[in-house]
Amino acid sequence: MFVFLFIANIRNFTAHFMRKYPVLVVSTLCALLSCYGPSFGQCTTISLPDSIKICKGSNVNITATLTVPTGYNVIDTGWVPAAGFSDTNSLTPTITGVTSSGYYRLHTVTVTNTELIVNGDFSSGNTGFTSSYTYNPSSVYAAGVYAVDYNPSSVHPLAVSYRDHTTGTGKMMIINGASTAVDVWCESIAVTPNTNYAFSAWFANWSVDDVGAATPDLQFKINGVLLGSPTLISASPGTWLHFYQVWNSGPSTTASICIYDLTTAATGNDFSIDDISFRPMCRSNDSVYVKVDVKVDVPVIKASNDTGICNGKSATLNATGSLHYKWTPNTGLSCDTCASPVASPAVSMTYIVTGTDAIGCTAVDTVNVSVGRLTVSVSGKNGICPDSSTSLTASGATNYVWSPAATLSCDTCSTITATPASTTTYTVTGSDSGGCTGTSSITVTAYPAPAISISKNALVCKGSTIVLSATGAHSYSWTPTANLNDPTIPNPTATLAGKATTYYVAGTDANGCIGYDSVLVDPLKNSAVGIPNAFSPNGDGVNDILYVRGSNIATLEYHVYNRWGQIVFETNNINTGWDGKASGTPQPMDNYAIVIKVTTNDGCKFEKKGNVTLLR
């Protein structure tokens, strides 16, 4: 629907419409102008657009510009009526949801840069004004006393500490309220008759008393006439409050301005005043007429149905029912002002299409494009030992294709057996019934067998022990286990029996792969040593000497003991035998103990014991 905004100043509006709608114009203008009181001259010029065309229920964006005369400042702006405004003080407001015709009025308040109050910020100290209070520049401890200083705590030991309102580094008037309602501050100023003036002042409480304490109650008057309503300084100490009123001079040529305190209680009646201002001012007004034509309908926009695509694919969107289109966001779109853009978003998106018809009315519709992502995953053992295989399983799709296929049991199955001779990365591509695809991969490492090493084949003496030592693995298993102290350690001890033995070790590394090695342990044979069990040293030349006989003998120790453990014969010479005497004395017939210690030519040592009978 059309909405026409006719903007003109009040005089033009009146002249144009008064002739045709006198009652409507007069009543409407009176309603508008009464909101902010009378207008006192167009000192600031307000500029508004001539017309704005919108549809029923749409928002109205208004832009106003101000031309302010040199030496003046705009201190206030406002729109009435305020309903629907985003900001009633803004020069660029938005009126939301306009459904009916109406007037909107903008007003401004402008003041001159010339300040009429002398020393209103008290920067010059105790000058430019009069007071019924007693001035004491160093202390306001007594009631009815004031000072001009930088901080209330500087002139009263119990005052709350804070700084002035003007700059935070300047002075203020600091007052300890009197017991009678008398003038705190007064100043007389020459004024122009029939002129508006803006009066303002700032004030703050500095009393530390709160429970049961009185509150300063300030009253403002000009030429003895009250200005506004009494103002309680009830905020927390140090919080500056603002008083503002507009005064019209009427026939007066002098403005005698006074501030006095209505509170007469002693406790809590403590306050400061700063930045007293009195300036000439004026108001400016302009208005906007908004007309809604109910015969025009907004366009009906229809976007294509919600759709889904696979990741990396696209879909064509479509909108109908309007003349111009705007798609937002434009992410993944081939065109954001087309009726039928191609959408290729990387993630699911909601697209909003705004349609605008020939008269500028708009409507919106949305279409959701969901992006499907096929997530394919692979599980299985990712490392194998030589001459082994691993089972790999793909999931997340309906159909699969594996590559490279050369070492696979099946390249289109979900579960396959892989037998790579070397480390290989397998990639599987999965697809579903909708044509969406996804990939995943797994690297199968072909581990080498551990290099197991054992000490060389060893020749050792029969009956002795040897430490077998294997390296190159994480754990070990030895066979045969007989005669080993622990077949699961890398360095077991083997006790040698009488025959050669080949020991085998299986070593397993950290990857679970196994390597093998072996060693032959061959015990050396001992010397064949023989001792007769009797001899007869009787001088007949037969069996008179007791010799030790054997082979492979390098050295020996030959000892003969009688029954009392005494050595009766000893020798290191294999060719020397016992003749039955001890120190030249023939020994009696008896049994004697023989102990022989032999070192073979191979370095093996052994001991043999026995008994022999001496016969006469």
Side-chain angles (χ1 to χ4, degrees), residues 526-566:
N526 292 334
S527 174
V529 177
I531 302 175
N533 58 9
F535 77 110
S536 56
N538 53 11
D540 60 0
V542 178
N543 203 20
D544 287 331
I545 304 299
L546 181 64
Y547 290 99
V548 174
R549 299 301 181 193
S551 61
N552 195 26
I553 297 175
T555 63
L556 64 76
E557 296 178 15
Y558 176 17
H559 296 85
V560 179
Y561 298 87
N562 61 20
R563 66 173 56 247
W564 293 281
Q566 297 171 330

Side-chain angles (χ1 to χ4, degrees), residues 10-33 103:
I10 300 302
R11 292 192 303 273
N12 293 339
F13 174 83
T14 304
H16 183 75
F17 286 92
M18 194 65 158
R19 291 188 297 271
K20 191 170 184 180
Y21 306 104
V23 177
L24 172 63
V25 171
V26 171
S27 62
T28 303
L29 285 175
C30 290
L32 287 171
L33 294 175
Y103 291 90

Side-chain angles (χ1 to χ4, degrees), residues 143 176-180 213-215 261-270:
N176 188 333
S179 59
T180 58
T215 301
D261 182 14
L262 296 177
T263 301
T264 57
T267 303
N269 189 19
D270 308 306

Side-chain angles (χ1 to χ4, degrees), residues 300-303 318-322 325 339:
V300 177
I301 302 300
K302 177 61 178 176
N318 184 258
T320 59
S322 193
Y325 301 94

Side-chain angles (χ1 to χ4, degrees), residues 109-153:
V109 176
T110 306
V111 298
T112 66
N113 293 335
T114 302
E115 177 58 65
L116 301 181
I117 295 293
V118 177
N119 194 28
D121 60 359
F122 300 97
S123 60
S124 299
N126 184 38
T127 184
F129 64 92
T130 61
S131 178
S132 298
Y133 280 57
T134 301
Y135 175 64
N136 187 334
S138 60
S139 174
V140 294
Y141 196 79
V145 175
Y146 78 94
V148 176
D149 207 304
Y150 296 95
N151 195 316
S153 63

Side-chain angles (χ1 to χ4, degrees), residues 30 37 146 212 226 276 332 386 399 433 436-437 463 473 478 484 497 513 579 582 603 614:
C30 290
Y146 78 94
L226 296 180
I276 305 172
N399 304 304
S433 58
C436 294
T437 61
W478 295 84
L484 295 180
C513 298
D579 60 0
L614 190 154

Side-chain angles (χ1 to χ4, degrees), residues 38 40 72 75 109-112 114-117 189-200 222-223 227 243-257 277-283:
F40 301 103
Y72 286 77
I75 63 172
V109 176
T110 306
V111 298
T112 66
T114 302
E115 177 58 65
L116 301 181
I117 295 293
I189 299 167
V191 295
T192 302
N194 302 311
T195 300
N196 282 320
Y197 292 86
F199 174 79
S200 69
I222 299 179
N223 295 337
L227 184 65
F243 176 83
Y244 172 83
Q245 283 290 324
V246 175
W247 177 76
N248 185 264
S249 58
S252 301
T253 58
T254 300
S256 297
I257 308 170
S277 176
F278 191 72
R279 300 184 187 187
M281 62 159 288
C282 63
R283 285 195 178 103

